[in-house]
């Protein structure tokens, strides 16, 4: 079993590290939150005093951090210099493509292998070990990373070279954000036209309006009992996180001179929702704003 440094033990990183421990890997855990580290230690991890301490002697370094600036600070500031040559780096954060590629280039220059491997599946998937990983990096690095990713996820997709994991993640979540707005608008229109929500669901879920935002994550209570709409929009994936991904998509679109008008509009709508103090709600809760609530 491998010696793994796991840096970033929040709502996603904590359960991901727990699944590596269940697979009998040795995990040195570090997070700025003492409570997060304590939870990891309770699951069998070793507490690291700092990033350098976590990385010392590690064969694999896995990170789950908030943004590109944090990833660059951790890798360029400490990890690359503290790790032994040949260490495998797996960054599971969702960050901008440029930062992912810059860190990967710095790692390669120092003789390390690295993949960017953002995830989809939320906290439930992290706990169950059923996450989808979208992986960017060289073939050899992907082959080394795959056995570890398989302990934390169910679907592992090699999207191409460095940064392509991030590209796949933000494109996928732009689709999700736009489709959730469209589904929410349809239910609000149906309500005002006197059409029962269940009847709309019965039609759209079996015809051309079918999509994941409707059939798995329906934003109105009733049709899909497991959706957050049935628990007052308690978050599986917060509106703040959706906004983050939509803004990353817009940043990438500007850099690539790509036209994404619906993505831009979805970003504006989620900005309004989050700025109204609703960022901690599930992103499907945007239907409340569209309904004037």
């Amino acid at each position: 079993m491998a010696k793994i440094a796991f840096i970033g033990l929040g709502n996603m990183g904590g359960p991901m590290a727990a699944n590596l421990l269940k697979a009998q890997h040795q995990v040195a855990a570090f997070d700025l939150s003492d409570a997060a580290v304590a939870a990891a230690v309770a699951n069998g991890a070793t507490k690291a005093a700092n990033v350098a301490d976590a990385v010392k002697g590690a064969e694999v370094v896995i990170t789950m951090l908030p943004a590109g600036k944090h990833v660059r600070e951790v890798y360029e500031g400490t990890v690359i210099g503290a790790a032994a040559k040949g260490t495998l780096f797996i960054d599971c954060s969702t960050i901008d493509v440029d930062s992912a590629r810059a860190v990967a280039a710095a790692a390669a220059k120092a003789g390390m292998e690295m993949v960017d491997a953002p995830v989809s599946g939320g906290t439930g998937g992290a706990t169950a070990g059923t996450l989808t990983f979208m992986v960017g990096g060289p073939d050899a690095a992907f082959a080394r990373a795959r056995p570890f990713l398989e302990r934390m996820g169910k679907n592992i997709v090699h999207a191409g070279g460095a940064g392509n994991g991030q590209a796949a993640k933000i494109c996928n979540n732009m689709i999700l954000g736009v489709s959730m707005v469209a589904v929410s608008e349809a239910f609000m229109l149906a309500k005002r036209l006197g059409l029962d929500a269940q009847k709309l669901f019965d039609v759209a879920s079996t015809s051309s309006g079918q999509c994941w935002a409707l059939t798995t994550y329906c934003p109105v209570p009733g049709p899909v009992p497991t959706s957050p709409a049935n628990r007052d929009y308690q978050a599986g994936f917060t509106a703040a996180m959706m906004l983050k991904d939509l803004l990353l998509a817009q940043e990438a679109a500007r850099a690539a001179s790509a036209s994404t008008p619906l993505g831009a509009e979805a970003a504006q709508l989620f900005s309004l929702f989050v700025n109204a103090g609703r960022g901690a709600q599930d992103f499907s809760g945007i239907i409340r704003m569209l309904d004037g609530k």
Side-chain angles (χ1 to χ4, degrees), residues 249-286:
Q250 287 307 296
E251 181 182 339
R254 286 190 293 271
S257 298
S259 178
T260 57
L262 292 180
E265 183 63 27
Q268 290 183 359
L269 289 170
F270 275 98
S271 291
L272 290 172
F273 188 61
V274 171
N275 290 337
R278 297 176 171 183
Q281 292 182 17
D282 191 84
F283 81 103
S284 61
I286 197 167

Side-chain angles (χ1 to χ4, degrees), residues 180 184 217-219 228-229 233 237 270 282-288:
M180 182 56 75
S184 296
Y217 228 70
C218 186
Y233 300 96
F237 184 61
F270 275 98
D282 191 84
F283 81 103
S284 61
I286 197 167
I287 193 170
R288 287 174 158 172

Side-chain angles (χ1 to χ4, degrees), residues 168-200:
K169 172 68 183 287
I170 61 175
C171 288
N172 177 74
N173 276 18
M174 184 172 70
I175 293 171
L176 177 58
V178 169
S179 61
M180 182 56 75
V181 170
V183 169
S184 296
E185 288 184 350
F187 275 104
M188 289 304 95
L189 176 59
K191 178 181 177 180
R192 282 159 177 72
L193 294 175
L195 175 62
D196 180 73
Q198 184 65 54
K199 299 298 183 183
L200 174 59

Side-chain angles (χ1 to χ4, degrees), residues 1-5 20-21 23-28 57-62 88 144 147-148:
M1 294 296 104
K3 294 182 178 180
I4 300 172
L20 291 169
L21 288 161
Q24 305 302 309
H25 290 297
Q26 298 177 42
V27 176
E59 301 162 68
V60 182
V61 176
I62 301 176
L88 173 64
R144 284 186 66 192
F148 302 102

Side-chain angles (χ1 to χ4, degrees), residues 27-91:
V27 176
F30 178 75
D31 192 282
L32 294 177
S33 165
D34 291 338
V37 174
V41 170
N43 286 324
T46 301
K47 179 179 178 180
N50 49 48
V51 171
D53 184 41
V55 171
K56 185 178 179 181
E59 301 162 68
V60 182
V61 176
I62 301 176
T63 46
M64 178 60 92
L65 301 167
K69 66 178 182 179
H70 305 108
V71 172
R72 296 192 71 149
E73 287 170 3
V74 166
Y75 279 96
E76 295 173 352
T78 304
V79 170
I80 292 175
K85 270 220 165 57
T87 301
L88 173 64
F89 299 154
I90 303 174
D91 179 40

